[in-house]
Amino acid sequence: MSKENIFEGWDKQTIKKYQHWQLRTIIVSMIGYAIYYFVRKNFSIAMPGLTAQYGISNTSFGIVIGIGSLVYGLSRFINGFIVDRFSARVIMAIGLLLCALSNLAFGFGVNISGFITGVDAGPDFINMLVMVMAVTIICNQLFQGVGYPPCARLLPCWIHPSQLATKMSIWNTSHSIGAALAVVVCGYIMGTMGTDLSSDHNIIARIAANLNLDPSNEDHLKTIMGYAQHWDAWKYCFWIPAGIALCGALWLYFGLRDDPRSVGLPELPGTKTGVSEKAEGKPASRKQFLKIMVWTNRWIWTLCIANIFVYVMRMGILDWGPKFLTEARNMSIEDAAWSVGVFEIFAIVGTIGAGWATDHIFKGKAHRMCLVCMVCAVIFMSAFIFMPGLPVIVSIIILAMAGFFIYGPQALIGIASANHATKEASATANGLAGIFGYVGSFLSAIGIGIVADHWGWNMVFYIIIAVGCLGAVTFLTMWLAPRDGYERSNKFYASLEAEARNVNKIEGNVTNDDADI
């Protein structure tokens, strides 16, 4: 659909006002959601420091990340219902404020654990620290689930379906921008801040024992000294992002508006769902609408299943990348952080490219582009693990190319869900897809932690590659699916109105017959 058709019947002033608010909505929500990731992906960079200081295992981290992922998915699912009924901007701002508070609490986790146990070392202290860490991370994930549903509601209200893949894929780079900034900034924090305890032999011995490293080995000693020189730096990975998130909450509240009607603009032509003013907001029609557009929509369920496989791949690399690169490829934490940052930069380009190709090559059919992306991601992941002897820079580029392709499906599933459910149920559909995605994230977190501890990092990547193949097959089953569900929605409301007219006609006939009697 051309730009002129999108604004059919609108005057120039209305078009100009709409374009201003559309751009403002995209930019404000992009920055806001990037900050959500800033106070979420900081944990992956802090993990090596926590292991060095306190000996927390991969399995413990995996359990915490896994439970947090399930909580996040459930939160997205529940908030999908809430956002479809209340103010998206208010909910999104409150969620980011609560994320900031949970990050502040995590930074004080050692103090909280010491206060509860009365000691600052030993098994009781470590167990309590893991418990406090788990509670704060799970709370953070609960509040993180408030971030995406408002955007899933806002953007389809401001962007036409024919442009949604391109513009929302640009918006979806907020994931990668926020994650890249988090790993780069927190990597810098881990390498520059904290207390220098490198002259304390007890600290050096403690780090060596926690990391199972030999201080007499030159490479091992370099790693040990890196952590000793920046003792407690991990705390600032939570405090500094928390301060940024507090400012971000205000940015969202004052910068966003819920839909065109809230600023005196009409709905976009071609995005009417068929709901009449009389039917709008009625619980019965709303329940039926969700049943038709979400709960019994085969395409929504296929996207949900595919999202499991996409998230196993994506979160496996993003959450565990720094640990893998430091433990299996012997990188420093700063270099590992930059490597994951490069991964995210490539993901930004890949996300935009996938959105453009969806609209211009596949005519808005996002599921077809998802298939292409999954196949390419599997190819690059295979190259990364089966060719370990390549130069470090080449390995990083290959891993980054996997990120280039895996982020396409991650973004496009949300776009496809919004289009198939229409703007009236987009948050609910995305909430449902989200909970499936974070089931995948849960399996990734728990599984990778256990597999890495018992069978090594190579086995982790073999499993990720197999999961990618399953995801490609799932997208293949959607090849003949339509672009969106607006035709389905209009048929539903047309049938409701026809049924209502028939009822009124029958009731009218009964009344006339009674009058004749």
Side-chain angles (χ1 to χ4, degrees), residues 461-503:
F461 281 90
Y462 298 152
I463 293 171
I464 288 176
I465 290 166
V467 167
C469 293
L470 292 174
V473 172
T474 305
F475 284 120
L476 182 61
T477 66
M478 284 192 71
W479 188 261
L480 298 178
R483 182 192 71 179
D484 59 57
Y486 283 95
E487 183 179 351
R488 183 188 184 103
S489 173
N490 277 284
K491 287 180 179 178
F492 165 71
Y493 278 113
S495 67
L496 279 188
E497 292 183 3
E499 183 180 342
R501 285 195 298 270
N502 289 335
V503 170

Side-chain angles (χ1 to χ4, degrees), residues 254-310:
F254 291 106
L256 291 176
R257 296 295 181 272
D258 287 319
D259 54 43
R261 288 179 292 182
S262 65
V263 293
L265 288 167
E267 289 184 278
L268 280 170
T271 64
K272 293 184 181 296
T273 57
V275 59
S276 65
E277 292 183 1
K278 292 181 179 179
E280 189 173 12
K282 287 188 176 181
S285 62
R286 175 70 184 173
K287 185 177 180 180
Q288 288 177 284
F289 181 78
L290 288 176
K291 179 182 178 182
I292 295 295
M293 302 307 300
V294 179
W295 308 121
T296 61
N297 190 333
R298 62 175 290 197
W299 307 124
I300 295 294
W301 286 104
T302 305
L303 290 167
C304 288
I305 293 169
N307 214 23
I308 296 175
F309 304 126
V310 169

Side-chain angles (χ1 to χ4, degrees), residues 327-342:
E327 294 178 8
R329 297 289 168 92
N330 297 316
M331 286 188 184
S332 69
I333 185 61
E334 296 98 323
D335 290 341
W338 274 105
S339 299
V340 178
V342 171

Side-chain angles (χ1 to χ4, degrees), residues 365-383:
K365 294 182 178 180
H367 49 279
R368 295 188 177 183
M369 188 61 202
C370 286
L371 172 61
V372 173
C373 287
M374 287 297 283
V375 171
C376 292
V378 166
I379 291 172
F380 280 101
M381 287 298 295
S382 299

